[in-house]
Amino acid sequence: MISHYQSNLENFLHWANTTPNNLYLRQPHGDQYIDYSYAAAAVEIKKIAHFLQRHLTEESKNVGIVAKNSAHWMMADLAIAAAGGISVPFYATLTKDQLHQVLVHSECSILIVGKLDHWDKIKEAIPEHVLVIHTPESSEKSGHQWAEILKTENEIASLPQPKPEDIATIVYTSGTTGMPKGVMITYGGIEAGINMAREIALLDQPSARFISYLPLCHIAERNFVEFAGTAAGGTIYFVENLDTFAKNLASARPTHFLAVPRIWAKFQEGILQKIGGQKKLDLFLRIPILKNIIQKKIQKGLGLDCTKLAVTGAAPISEELMIWFQKLGIFIQEAYGMTENMGLNAVMPRDQIKLGSVGRVHPDCDTRIDPETNEIQMRAPYNSTGYFKEPALTNDLFTSDGWLKTGDQGTLDSAGFLSITGRVKDNFKTAKGHYVAPAPIENKIGTHELVEQVCVVGVNLPQPIVLVVLSAAAKFKPKEEIEQDLINLKDEVNPLLKNYEHLKKVVIVKEDWNIENECLTPTMKIKRPSIEKKYQANFERWYDSPETIIYE
């Protein structure tokens, strides 16, 4: 056990020295795994670090990673730190233009490329001066190859000694509202964050197992899986692809599991389809002798029968979904934060789940609510120092007295539980001059079994309207029943809202919102500006339509 966590690299080297033969990374390949012990990973990391060190200069220390999650992604990140570089991860789903934009802005002199679905389409985005290294998963077999570097390089002789204020990584936001911003995170911030979360994250659990499948360039996955898994001396499993996700998860049986709300909803959908519907499940759970058997069978089927810490984050989750999983013996703990505070603002206590909140504020995190805007503002030793090359945006990130502005609106109770009520910039003004916060309304609509995705809009309309993407459950229902269910849903929700928030129409859109059509971020949040732009020309026509339920 490590008495006090240090940097991610130092934590890794501790385990490489004290438990060299313990399993660190498990990369699935078909029905087999390629395994890396702590010692074996250390050899590759130190050799790649030596190569990187020879090509880095004082003026250019930024090294990019663009790849899907893999053992080599994590080893690349550690190698960058060992070389004294600054790691700059990019989403594996970026288009050619998006990749070029962040590569140029980040001033990366080296780029490590791994497994990608569209390498041939984006490779022209890389400026000529950038040195490219390809991991074994990369489809490109020319140029600098990871495997060849291992054959020719020695291990790095001396490791850097960074100061707490030195930048460890630049994390580009997923860009819900335009150009992604490069959030600078320091070595001291990572150390403070992982030590603060030690007890909450159960990092002293023996034989800790994690599974990495959400984008590693997102702060939640980086914290929860890479930083926490390495600090715990645990084993980190990976997912081969979307088709093998269920199999890989069942094989890993993680003690720690993070999923965004949409994945928890997909789990629910799959369970109900297998078991024959909600009524049948309710019946089984009411029979004492069957309840425990059903709970264990479902947990094992998902691969969550050993899970001690089940977390959700990145987007709001409905109370109904959390209660549904509690009945199965799976207690989901919501975590709240943002890239700029390393995702560490509040977390739901395992033994004190308070529905309607996002958990209790962390012990080392001061939080306040701005009395004028209801914005959540916080300060903590792990806060970002600001945005790379963006002094004006950095200045806007903080209040005059040094508190970080989250952009979220919320309330804070006397016990330290935080609730989110909306986004400062998401609020829109109707034609009647009233401001509407869409997020709380979307949370109410999104709980219905027929609704897969939801976005409330209404700029310059007399009343808001709601756009919905139907769920898989809707495929089994006739059109008339779907329409009546959605009318009933609107009639149930409206009395819970202020008069000027009442929904006028429900619009069923044809196309699913996804990353490819730029309606979702890589972390599955809706990109509100993109959705509004996509449908805005139809808003007035839909609003004036005589029907309550409208098909796009």
Side-chain angles (χ1 to χ4, degrees):
M1 190 171 75
I2 301 174
S3 58
H4 178 85
Y5 297 133
Q6 299 181 68
S7 71
N8 188 46
L9 176 63
E10 288 169 305
N11 294 336
F12 165 75
L13 291 173
H14 166 87
W15 297 113
N17 292 328
T18 58
T19 59
N21 297 322
N22 281 11
L23 194 54
Y24 180 38
L25 306 172
R26 299 208 78 192
Q27 181 70 49
H29 187 73
D31 293 328
Q32 306 296 319
Y33 276 94
I34 301 169
D35 290 340
Y36 297 87
S37 66
Y38 275 85
V43 170
E44 295 205 16
I45 288 163
K46 289 178 180 178
K47 286 187 174 185
I48 298 297
H50 190 247
F51 179 87
L52 293 173
Q53 188 183 57
R54 292 194 296 104
H55 291 87
L56 290 175
T57 66
E58 282 300 318
E59 296 75 33
S60 182
K61 289 191 172 185
N62 296 355
V63 181
I65 305 173
V66 59
K68 292 185 175 184
N69 297 16
S70 71
H72 285 93
W73 196 110
M74 224 162 269
M75 287 190 283
D77 195 41
L78 286 162
I80 294 166
I86 296 172
S87 136
V88 190
F90 302 120
Y91 284 99
T93 52
L94 293 179
T95 64
K96 182 178 75 172
D97 290 343
Q98 290 168 340
L99 178 60
H100 182 78
Q101 184 182 44
V102 288
L103 259 179
V104 171
H105 185 272
S106 64
E107 299 180 358
C108 285
S109 59
I110 300 174
L111 180 66
I112 298 174
V113 175
K115 184 179 180 181
L116 296 167
D117 291 333
H118 60 330
W119 167 245
D120 286 339
K121 293 180 180 177
I122 65 168
K123 60 185 178 182
E124 292 176 8
I126 302 169
E128 288 185 9
H129 72 274
V130 175
L131 184 149
V132 181
I133 300 169
H134 294 276
T135 75
E137 295 97 351
S138 172
S139 59
E140 183 66 65
K141 299 308 174 189
S142 62
H144 296 283
Q145 295 289 320
W146 182 288
E148 293 303 312
I149 293 171
L150 295 181
K151 292 177 185 176
T152 57
E153 288 289 337
N154 296 318
E155 294 183 23
I156 194 166
S158 61
L159 296 169
Q161 300 294 320
K163 302 182 186 71
E165 64 271 20
D166 287 344
I167 303 300
T169 185
I170 299 172
V171 179
Y172 276 84
T173 58
S174 53
T176 55
T177 56
M179 168 67 188
K181 299 182 287 289
V183 180
M184 297 183 290
I185 294 173
T186 65
Y187 279 94
I190 293 172
E191 182 178 334
I194 200 71
N195 280 292
M196 185 279 295
R198 179 177 196 143
E199 186 176 342
I200 301 163
L202 307 177
L203 297 187
D204 293 328
Q205 290 278 317
S207 304
R209 294 186 301 281
F210 299 73
I211 186 163
S212 179
Y213 66 99
L214 296 172
L216 265 167
C217 51
H218 187 268
I219 197 63
E221 184 82 351
R222 195 99 168 275
N223 262 343
F224 188 88
V225 177
E226 183 186 8
F227 296 162
T230 302
T235 301
I236 298 170
Y237 289 69
F238 295 89
V239 168
E240 189 170 12
N241 55 55
L242 281 175
D243 294 334
T244 65
F245 172 73
K247 181 178 78 171
N248 296 151
L249 176 57
S251 176
R253 298 175 72 202
T255 57
H256 296 63
F257 181 70
L258 168 68
V260 295
R262 197 172 180 203
I263 289 171
W264 289 111
K266 289 290 186 186
F267 284 169
Q268 179 192 44
E269 192 178 288
I271 290 164
L272 290 176
Q273 284 182 355
K274 280 187 179 179
I275 215 159
Q278 187 65 52
K279 288 182 180 178
K280 203 168 183 181
L281 177 61
D282 290 341
L283 175 64
F284 290 153
L285 294 176
R286 281 198 298 269
I287 302 170
I289 198 167
L290 281 180
K291 180 179 179 180
N292 192 52
I293 295 171
I294 289 294
Q295 285 180 333
K296 290 279 191 290
K297 186 174 182 180
I298 289 172
Q299 290 172 19
K300 190 169 184 181
L302 289 174
L304 302 181
D305 54 318
C306 295
T307 301
K308 308 293 183 190
L309 183 66
V311 174
T312 190
I317 188 169
S318 71
E319 294 179 27
E320 289 80 2
L321 192 58
M322 292 182 75
I323 293 168
W324 191 88
F325 275 100
Q326 287 173 13
K327 290 176 182 176
L328 299 180
I330 298 171
F331 291 83
I332 302 170
Q333 293 171 246
E334 192 162 5
Y336 165 71
M338 56 197 289
T339 311
E340 290 84 346
N341 59 28
M342 288 188 61
L344 300 171
N345 202 154
V347 70
M348 192 72 71
R350 170 67 172 77
D351 57 352
Q352 198 179 351
I353 291 175
K354 183 176 180 180
L355 296 173
S357 79
V358 291
R360 180 180 280 144
V361 169
H362 286 296
D364 291 347
C365 172
D366 295 325
T367 300
R368 71 184 186 188
I369 308 297
D370 182 84
E372 292 184 10
T373 63
N374 294 325
E375 182 180 42
I376 300 164
Q377 298 173 352
M378 54 79 67
R379 58 184 182 188
Y382 43 77
N383 275 355
S384 166
T385 55
Y387 299 119
F388 184 60
K389 296 197 317 188
E390 301 291 349
L393 291 175
T394 297
N395 187 57
D396 290 343
L397 179 62
F398 298 96
T399 64
S400 58
D401 55 348
W403 292 66
L404 186 146
K405 297 188 285 187
T406 65
D408 288 316
Q409 295 171 310
T411 59
L412 185 64
D413 71 14
S414 57
F417 282 87
L418 189 64
S419 299
I420 311 299
T421 58
R423 286 283 296 171
V424 175
K425 292 182 180 178
D426 281 352
N427 295 359
F428 59 82
K429 187 190 282 189
T430 66
K432 295 176 182 177
H434 294 292
Y435 280 97
V436 173
I441 307 172
E442 290 163 354
N443 292 344
K444 291 178 172 65
I445 296 290
T447 61
H448 198 279
E449 65 170 353
L450 295 182
V451 178
E452 174 75 14
Q453 297 165 310
V454 55
C455 182
V456 171
V457 297
V459 176
N460 296 326
L461 294 177
Q463 295 287 145
I465 63 176
V466 59
L467 313 179
V468 300
V469 175
L470 294 177
S471 69
K475 296 174 184 175
F476 304 101
K477 288 201 170 193
K479 181 180 177 181
E480 296 77 14
E481 193 173 334
I482 291 170
E483 290 179 359
Q484 190 56 55
D485 281 356
L486 291 178
I487 289 171
N488 294 342
L489 175 62
K490 181 179 79 70
D491 292 344
E492 288 168 12
V493 168
N494 276 347
L496 305 175
L497 307 174
K498 298 180 180 70
N499 288 338
Y500 60 80
E501 295 176 325
H502 284 187
L503 300 169
K504 184 74 170 176
K505 308 285 181 182
V506 180
V507 180
I508 299 170
V509 302
K510 296 175 187 174
E511 186 180 19
D512 284 3
W513 299 331
N514 52 46
I515 298 166
E516 287 71 29
N517 60 26
E518 297 189 3
C519 290
L520 290 185
T521 72
T523 53
M524 303 298 183
K525 295 178 189 171
I526 62 169
K527 295 180 78 169
R528 197 176 300 279
S530 296
I531 292 171
E532 288 181 351
K533 184 178 178 182
K534 184 179 178 74
Y535 301 105
Q536 197 158 25
N538 301 301
F539 287 174
E540 288 188 17
R541 176 173 59 83
W542 289 338
Y543 189 91
D544 293 334
S545 170
E547 289 86 16
T548 301
I549 307 300
I550 298 161
Y551 290 84
E552 183 196 359

